[in-house]
Amino acid sequence: MNSIPLSMQLAILVTLLALSGFFSMAETAMMAANRYRLRSAANLGSRGARLALELLGKTDKLLGIILLCNNLVNAAAATLVSVITMQLFGSEEWVLGVSTLVVTFLILVFSEITPKVVGANHANRLACIVSYPLSALLKGLYFIVWFVNLFVAGLLRVLRLRNNNGQDAHSLSTEELRTMVLESGTFIPPKHRSILLNLFELEDITVEDVMTPRNQIEAVNIADPITVIQGHLATCYHTRLPVFDGEMNAVIGLLHVRRILGQTLDRSLEAVDIRDMLTKPYFIPASTPIYAQLHFFQENRERLGLVVDEYGELLGLVTLEDIIEELIGKFTTSAPDSTDKLCWDANGSVIADGSQHLRALNRKLGLDLPVDGPKTLNGLVLEHLQDIPESGVSVKIAGVPIEVVQAEDRRIKTVRIFRPTKER
């Protein structure tokens, strides 16, 4: 080494530090790279991204080749600094101490911290670049890396640790995906982001959450006089109506209103004609998730179902449109909804019906009322008070002040909701 000119030794030292910095940067870039972005780039034809994914698929060999080369280069750089220092200042003990401090400083600044910061800040772009030389090095030094990894694998087995090549660290849970969507910023338009967030909630929402309650169902009582039925059919908003005989639990079928038109053009309508036009009702358990119900509608080629509880009592009605609206929002062609008129007045309050669905209220007014219990505003207040309140009683639920305006017939008819104040 002494025969090599000092200038050449300094050039070799700079080269070694640069190589060490490259391997440090490559290690950080490869490990910090977003695999999903790399996979997207690989699908678009990026060879560098494809090589990076191949290397990340065998993390033990990737780290083996990087650390093998990096440690060799660092050891060579430390030895060279010691030689240069002794040539310049002699071989006293203080010279060796100074050379150790110098090489530590150089490696930290030029080979570790700076390259790692660069690699972390530009991980995805650099991973596609450094994958080329790393792949070539791995092929050339494969036997050495394989031999070293034999001892690594043995040590992992002794410690009872499983080598999964980092696959588990890059598998995302539902909540992690939800967080990614929430933090997508301008990459996903707000409307699209809202639809994606609704998709994550499908398994937690049941048909009972989106159904039309029993007391709001538009239905035909076959026991009514034919003139009453005709008036009902002439003014109904929906094209499919449940038909019951005497009381709502006795649903005998579903009537497609358009089929009545041909009958009424030929002759007068009779109750027996309506019975002949009925189709078999489709019943749905109240606890059915709407994601599963969407598939059931598709498999059974149905668009409307009657929701029943565990005792077979009719609770409400759900349609295919109700489920789709839960995902993408209200249609302009939907039936009039009482929540459409809800808005805060100048005093920061709003009058709402006790039968309002909590999910609809939360969405319309921007509230956070709990929806894991009762489904309506009336049920929520009754559960909270554990009694049927009188008019004028006020409660605060989930930070939302609610005043009972009118209560009758064992239920809360109307309430006044006050806009919650933001806590400072």
Side-chain angles (χ1 to χ4, degrees):
M1 184 68 70
N2 294 331
S3 60
I4 302 176
L6 181 61
S7 59
M8 181 66 71
Q9 294 181 22
L10 292 174
I12 295 174
L13 177 61
V14 171
T15 302
L16 291 174
L17 291 175
L19 286 173
S20 178
F22 167 78
F23 288 116
S24 295
M25 180 186 66
E27 178 187 5
T28 303
M30 292 297 293
M31 302 313 296
N34 187 312
R35 297 198 185 199
Y36 301 102
R37 289 189 179 182
L38 291 178
R39 191 168 291 114
S40 175
N43 292 335
L44 294 175
S46 173
R47 186 166 181 267
R50 181 173 57 80
L51 289 175
L53 286 172
E54 291 177 359
L55 290 172
L56 288 171
K58 42 190 177 183
T59 312
D60 54 342
K61 294 179 175 60
L62 170 63
L63 291 176
I65 188 62
I66 291 176
L67 295 177
L68 172 66
C69 295
N70 199 22
N71 285 322
L72 286 174
V73 170
N74 285 340
T79 302
L80 185 56
V81 168
S82 299
V83 171
I84 294 173
T85 305
M86 285 189 292
Q87 286 182 3
L88 293 175
F89 304 103
S91 57
E92 288 82 1
E93 292 183 0
W94 69 269
V95 172
L96 296 177
V98 170
S99 68
T100 302
L101 292 176
V102 170
V103 74
T104 302
F105 175 79
L106 293 176
I107 291 176
L108 278 176
V109 175
F110 298 102
S111 302
E112 291 294 335
I113 298 176
T114 303
K116 287 182 183 296
V117 170
V118 174
N121 289 333
H122 306 278
N124 295 308
R125 184 169 55 181
L126 289 174
C128 297
I129 299 174
V130 301
S131 61
Y132 289 99
L134 291 180
S135 296
L137 284 171
L138 182 58
K139 289 180 180 178
L141 302 174
Y142 186 85
F143 176 78
I144 299 176
V145 174
W146 170 82
F147 182 74
V148 172
N149 281 339
L150 285 179
F151 296 91
V152 174
L155 181 58
L156 289 176
R157 278 195 292 269
V158 170
L159 298 175
R160 296 184 179 181
L161 297 176
R162 184 169 58 93
N163 179 19
N164 54 21
N165 284 315
Q167 297 301 319
D168 291 346
H170 291 270
S171 57
L172 299 178
S173 65
T174 301
E175 284 304 315
E176 289 170 334
L177 284 172
R178 180 185 174 88
T179 302
M180 288 179 63
V181 173
L182 284 171
E183 297 180 353
S184 59
T186 59
F187 294 103
I188 303 178
K191 185 63 178 178
H192 296 175
R193 186 160 59 244
S194 174
I195 294 174
L196 291 174
L197 291 175
N198 289 337
L199 285 172
F200 291 123
E201 298 178 358
L202 284 187
E203 289 293 343
D204 300 324
I205 303 174
T206 64
V207 293
E208 189 177 5
D209 294 317
V210 301
M211 71 179 184
T212 300
R214 171 174 170 162
N215 62 339
Q216 297 179 18
I217 295 177
E218 188 176 18
V220 174
N221 186 357
I222 199 70
D224 287 340
I226 193 62
T227 55
V228 175
I229 295 176
Q230 287 177 326
H232 191 170
L233 295 175
T235 58
C236 68
Y237 186 86
H238 301 89
T239 57
R240 292 178 176 83
L241 299 178
V243 178
F244 62 95
D245 191 356
E247 60 100 14
M248 281 292 288
N249 276 320
V251 177
I252 60 176
L254 297 175
L255 175 66
H256 201 301
V257 177
R258 291 180 182 176
R259 298 183 62 185
I260 298 291
L261 295 176
Q263 184 69 36
T264 55
L265 291 175
D266 296 336
R267 56 187 175 86
S268 59
L269 183 67
E270 300 292 339
V272 65
D273 298 321
I274 295 177
R275 289 182 179 272
D276 292 339
M277 298 177 189
L278 298 181
T279 57
K280 185 178 179 181
Y282 176 58
F283 294 99
I284 306 168
S287 59
T288 305
I290 62 172
Y291 178 77
Q293 188 54 49
L294 189 61
H295 284 285
F296 292 156
F297 274 146
Q298 184 179 28
E299 293 173 358
N300 296 285
R301 298 185 179 182
E302 296 281 354
R303 298 177 61 88
L304 181 149
L306 300 172
V307 182
V308 295
D309 63 12
E310 57 183 314
Y311 303 106
E313 296 289 320
L314 181 66
L315 297 179
L317 176 149
V318 67
T319 65
L320 179 62
E321 288 77 12
D322 292 330
I323 298 177
I324 296 176
E325 285 180 352
E326 187 65 26
L327 295 175
I328 65 176
K330 288 287 184 181
F331 297 135
T332 56
T333 55
S334 299
D337 190 345
S338 56
T339 59
D340 294 338
K341 299 179 181 180
L342 289 178
C343 60
W344 300 109
D345 60 20
N347 298 322
S349 64
V350 62
I351 296 292
D353 192 277
S355 61
Q356 290 283 1
H357 269 229
L358 295 174
R359 294 183 63 82
L361 279 174
N362 286 342
R363 187 181 297 113
K364 184 68 177 179
L365 300 178
L367 303 177
D368 193 23
L369 296 172
V371 295
D372 53 352
K375 308 303 178 183
T376 65
L377 189 55
N378 169 62
L380 180 66
V381 176
L382 292 182
E383 181 187 62
H384 186 80
L385 295 175
Q386 297 185 352
D387 193 9
I388 301 175
E390 297 180 353
S391 300
V393 174
S394 298
V395 295
K396 193 172 186 179
I397 304 175
V400 181
I402 301 174
E403 178 188 355
V404 178
V405 176
Q406 186 179 6
E408 60 180 29
D409 297 331
R410 295 170 294 175
R411 74 181 185 91
I412 299 171
K413 190 172 182 181
T414 56
V415 301
R416 182 184 298 276
I417 303 174
F418 296 90
R419 190 199 299 266
T421 56
K422 295 182 179 179
E423 296 183 0
R424 295 183 179 179

